[in-house]
């Protein structure tokens, strides 16, 4: 934030300042341990961790301005002790102050904003868009998946002066949430990767999920542009009812002809994919350091954003070849006993798990394959059917062995068995320790060269299994 002082923050939030109003502030944090010098620390109240208790730690670590709810100090008998060179701002709501300040900085930046949402592939697509646009612009994006009502304003406030494009991933757990994020972000371009069954537990129907995701497109200005997956039925249906300019991307064009199309996918290196891109009268070859058609679709979304913003196709493809992904997504690691691990533990739903199984089978070639799969959360009434569908896919692909972890994942085993998969090829476990023991037994008996996929919902902490099997 260029030329922002404590006084600027007071003016925006209409709070009461204790300390020097001329202190310069730069960036913001929600975690006192992340202070490096000059930041605003938002002392957010919480059930397990209360930011109020860490104000002094934040100051000590380098933050200069702490922002706290005034109600916390009303009952105090003594005035807060603010060290020299620091300041304390008391506001009615720290949460609202965070969002108001983000809106203010968003307006000052005058950057273009690209909003990204969808049931699968949001974070990967965000990273790909960053790779494409960075070839031509000064770009800033969410770290990891800071995509909610706290993470999004935090991202905006930490965008450095001179940022030309902000890429903001937007998550949601219910109707109205993306709309609220858009009121802060004011997106110019909206990307919807797909509309799947994640969040059925909360929204009950896929139509309501579509409605919630489409809040991003509805928030675009009249001259805004939506980037939509031509292979996703719900997205295409919503697009037909919308008045915004639409740029479709796809491979086959299952529901509408793509404006930008990927063809002739083939393996590249250990885990990469080469594909050709057709856009208007141009044709370009792209090397993507990721496997699978789902990742090529996300790459096409990124290239579509690039073309809309004037990045040439060759520059965009060059950016994709230099892609750096967030951690724990399709990472290839060397495993024990001569195995190769695909660590894809960031999150999971039926679509992404089936896609990862296809990657496992494709990249292993003729080698043995083992899938260690954990519970998938937030599927609601589709929990049983979603897990069983994954089991059917695993059986059809001919994966050599299956280890499930957790009660829900046991339904994957049921789905595989009903599809004719041999019971002797399945190990149903209830813990990480048991899963690792079964995996080590199989790897020892199968010999070197086995490929292992490890995947499950974030709450399953499947990375702990990866750590035990990594060489």
């Amino acid at each position: 934030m260029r030329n922002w002082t404590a006084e600027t923050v007071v003016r925006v939030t209409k709070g009461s300042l204790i300390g020097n109003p001329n202190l310069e502030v730069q960036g913001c944090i929600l975690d006192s341990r992340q202070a490096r010098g000059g930041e605003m620390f938002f002392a957010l109240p919480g059930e397990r961790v209360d930011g109020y208790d860490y104000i002094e730690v934040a100051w000590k670590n380098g933050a200069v301005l702490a922002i706290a709810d005034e109600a916390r100090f009303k009952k105090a008998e003594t005035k807060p002790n603010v060290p020299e060179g620091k300041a304390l701002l008391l506001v009615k709501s720290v949460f609202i102050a965070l969002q108001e300040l983000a809106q203010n900085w968003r307006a000052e930046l005058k950057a273009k904003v690209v909003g990204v949402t969808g049931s699968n592939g949001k974070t990967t697509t965000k990273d790909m868009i960053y790779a494409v646009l960075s070839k031509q612009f000064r770009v800033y994006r969410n770290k990891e998946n800071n995509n909610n009502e706290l993470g999004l304003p935090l991202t905006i406030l930490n965008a450095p002066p001179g940022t030309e494009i902000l890429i903001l991933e937007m998550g949601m757990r219910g109707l109205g949430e993306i709309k609220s994020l858009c009121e802060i972000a004011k997106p110019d371009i909206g990307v919807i990767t797909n509309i799947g069954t994640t969040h059925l537990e909360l929204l009950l129907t896929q139509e309501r999920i579509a409605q919630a995701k489409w809040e991003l497109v509805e928030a675009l200005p009249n001259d805004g542009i939506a980037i939509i997956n031509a292979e996703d039925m719900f997205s295409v249906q919503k697009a037909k009812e919308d008045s915004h300019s639409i740029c479709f991307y796809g491979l086959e064009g299952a529901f509408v002809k793509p404006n930008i199309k990927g063809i002739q996918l083939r393996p590249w290196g250990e885990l990469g994919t080469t594909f050709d891109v057709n856009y208007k009268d141009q044709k370009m070859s792209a090397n993507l350091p990721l496997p699978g058609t789902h990742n090529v679709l996300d790459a096409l979304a990124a290239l579509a954003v690039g073309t809309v913003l004037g990045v040439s196709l060759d520059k965009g493809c060059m950016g994709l070849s230099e892609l750096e992904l967030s951690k724990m997504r399709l990472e290839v690691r060397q495993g024990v006993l001569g195995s190769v691990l695909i660590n894809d533990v960031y999150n999971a739903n039926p679509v992404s798990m089936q896609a990862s199984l296809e990657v496992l089978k494709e990249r292993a070639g003729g080698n043995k394959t083992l899938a260690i799969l954990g519970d998938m959360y937030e599927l609601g009434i589709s929990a049983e059917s979603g897990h069983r569908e994954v089991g059917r896919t695993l059986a059809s692909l001919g994966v050599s062995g299956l280890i499930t972890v957790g009660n829900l994942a046991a339904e994957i085993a049921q789905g595989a068995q009903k599809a004719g998969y041999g019971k002797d090829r399945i190990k149903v476990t209830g813990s990480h320790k048991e899963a690792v023991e079964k995996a080590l037994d199989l790897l020892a008996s199968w010999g070197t060269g086995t490929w292992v996929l490890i995947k499950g919902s974030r709450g399953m902490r499947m990375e702990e299994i990866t750590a035990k099997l990594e060489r």
Side-chain angles (χ1 to χ4, degrees):
M1 292 164 290
R2 180 185 293 157
N3 299 326
W4 271 31
T5 63
E7 188 175 22
T8 310
V9 180
V10 172
R11 188 175 67 250
V12 174
T13 61
K14 299 179 175 59
S16 301
L17 186 73
I18 303 170
N20 185 354
N22 298 317
L23 287 172
E24 292 186 1
V25 295
Q26 178 68 48
C28 72
I29 53 171
L30 308 182
D31 184 336
S32 61
R33 295 168 297 184
Q34 294 173 347
R36 297 294 179 267
E39 297 92 354
M40 295 184 285
F41 170 63
F42 289 84
L44 285 159
E47 292 179 4
R48 289 182 296 177
V49 178
D50 192 338
Y52 171 83
D53 297 329
Y54 293 88
I55 290 175
E56 291 185 3
V57 176
W59 278 333
K60 183 178 179 181
N61 289 344
V64 295
L65 175 64
I67 303 176
D69 288 344
E70 61 184 15
R72 297 300 301 265
F73 292 88
K74 281 185 176 178
K75 294 180 181 179
E77 295 180 3
T78 59
K79 188 177 179 181
N81 181 28
V82 180
E84 187 176 347
K86 308 291 182 179
L88 174 66
L89 176 63
L90 303 181
V91 296
K92 290 183 178 178
S93 166
V94 178
F95 177 69
I96 292 173
L98 172 66
Q99 298 192 334
E100 287 176 340
L101 288 164
Q103 284 178 306
N104 196 274
W105 183 235
R106 158 59 179 115
E108 278 194 37
L109 265 182
K110 295 182 171 60
K112 287 278 187 184
V113 173
V114 180
V116 183
T117 194
S119 296
N120 305 299
K122 291 187 294 295
T123 304
T124 301
T125 303
K126 173 204 68 183
D127 291 337
M128 290 180 179
I129 295 170
Y130 180 87
V132 168
L133 298 185
S134 292
K135 302 306 291 183
Q136 190 164 316
F137 300 102
R138 291 189 293 274
V139 189
Y140 194 75
R141 60 180 162 171
N142 316 68
K143 287 188 171 75
E144 298 299 333
N145 71 332
N146 281 338
N147 61 14
N148 60 12
E149 69 278 6
L150 298 178
L152 182 135
L154 179 75
T155 300
I156 293 173
L157 280 169
N158 283 318
T163 297
E164 295 174 297
I165 298 177
L166 265 171
I167 307 167
L168 299 176
E169 179 183 335
M170 298 181 181
M172 70 91 195
R173 294 176 62 80
L175 290 169
E177 292 193 7
I178 288 178
K179 181 181 178 182
S180 296
L181 295 178
C182 288
E183 287 171 358
I184 301 168
K186 300 283 191 283
D188 301 286
I189 295 170
V191 181
I192 298 183
T193 59
N194 47 49
I195 297 170
T197 53
T198 306
H199 305 305
L200 264 179
E201 182 179 348
L202 301 161
L203 291 173
L204 303 180
T205 69
Q206 199 160 2
E207 288 79 5
R208 284 168 64 84
I209 295 172
Q211 182 183 343
K213 299 292 185 187
W214 207 258
E215 289 171 1
L216 171 56
V217 178
E218 291 172 341
L220 297 175
N222 291 334
D223 60 350
I225 299 174
I227 310 296
I228 301 298
N229 184 352
E231 316 301 334
D232 188 71
M233 181 182 70
F234 279 92
S235 296
V236 173
Q237 285 177 345
K238 296 292 286 185
K240 288 177 180 176
E241 304 164 3
D242 198 277
S243 60
H244 289 94
S245 294
I246 308 283
C247 178
F248 291 103
Y249 65 91
L251 297 169
E252 304 295 333
F255 301 103
V256 68
K257 184 179 178 181
N259 300 96
I260 185 165
K261 185 176 183 179
I263 59 172
Q264 296 181 345
L265 281 62
R266 58 252 188 219
W268 173 58
E270 185 175 49
L271 209 62
T273 308
T274 295
F275 62 99
D276 296 331
V277 187
N278 289 340
Y279 175 67
K280 294 183 177 178
D281 57 349
Q282 303 174 60
K283 184 175 181 179
M284 190 67 55
S285 183
N287 293 323
L288 181 68
L290 278 175
T293 57
H294 61 299
N295 283 314
V296 173
L297 273 171
D298 293 342
L300 290 168
L303 291 172
V305 174
T307 59
V308 163
L309 290 171
V311 178
S312 64
L313 209 53
D314 60 334
K315 273 189 183 178
C317 291
M318 191 184 303
L320 287 177
S321 70
E322 301 166 1
L323 174 69
E324 293 182 7
L325 279 175
S326 299
K327 294 178 180 178
M328 299 191 291
R329 296 176 186 275
L330 284 170
E331 297 174 326
V332 176
R333 302 185 180 183
Q334 293 303 311
V336 296
L337 302 172
S339 62
V340 181
L341 310 181
I342 300 178
N343 184 52
D344 192 21
V345 299
Y346 192 81
N347 218 335
N349 55 53
V351 174
S352 67
M353 197 172 269
Q354 289 173 86
S356 295
L357 285 168
E358 290 172 1
V359 168
L360 170 69
K361 191 62 181 174
E362 174 198 321
R363 294 308 157 114
N367 291 313
K368 291 273 190 180
T369 49
L370 172 63
I372 305 177
L373 306 179
D375 294 348
M376 296 179 286
Y377 298 148
E378 295 186 1
L379 299 182
I381 59 173
S382 296
E384 180 181 304
S385 62
H387 284 83
R388 292 196 174 194
E389 179 61 33
V390 168
R392 287 192 289 272
T393 297
L394 180 139
S396 69
L397 289 170
V399 174
S400 308
L402 166 65
I403 297 174
T404 67
V405 190
N407 294 331
L408 290 172
E411 295 295 338
I412 297 174
Q414 289 294 320
Q417 276 188 257
K418 287 182 180 294
Y421 196 73
K423 189 175 181 180
D424 58 324
R425 298 161 72 180
I426 300 172
K427 311 294 181 187
V428 176
T429 73
S431 68
H432 290 167
K433 181 180 178 182
E434 188 182 0
V436 169
E437 289 172 355
K438 300 293 185 187
L440 289 172
D441 288 344
L442 283 174
L443 292 175
S445 64
W446 286 352
T448 62
T450 300
W451 281 64
V452 183
L453 169 68
I454 304 157
K455 190 168 180 66
S457 275
R458 191 71 207 90
M460 288 296 292
R461 304 191 311 278
M462 299 293 283
E463 67 273 12
E464 295 176 8
I465 294 176
T466 303
K468 296 291 185 183
L469 297 179
E470 194 170 3
R471 191 173 69 191

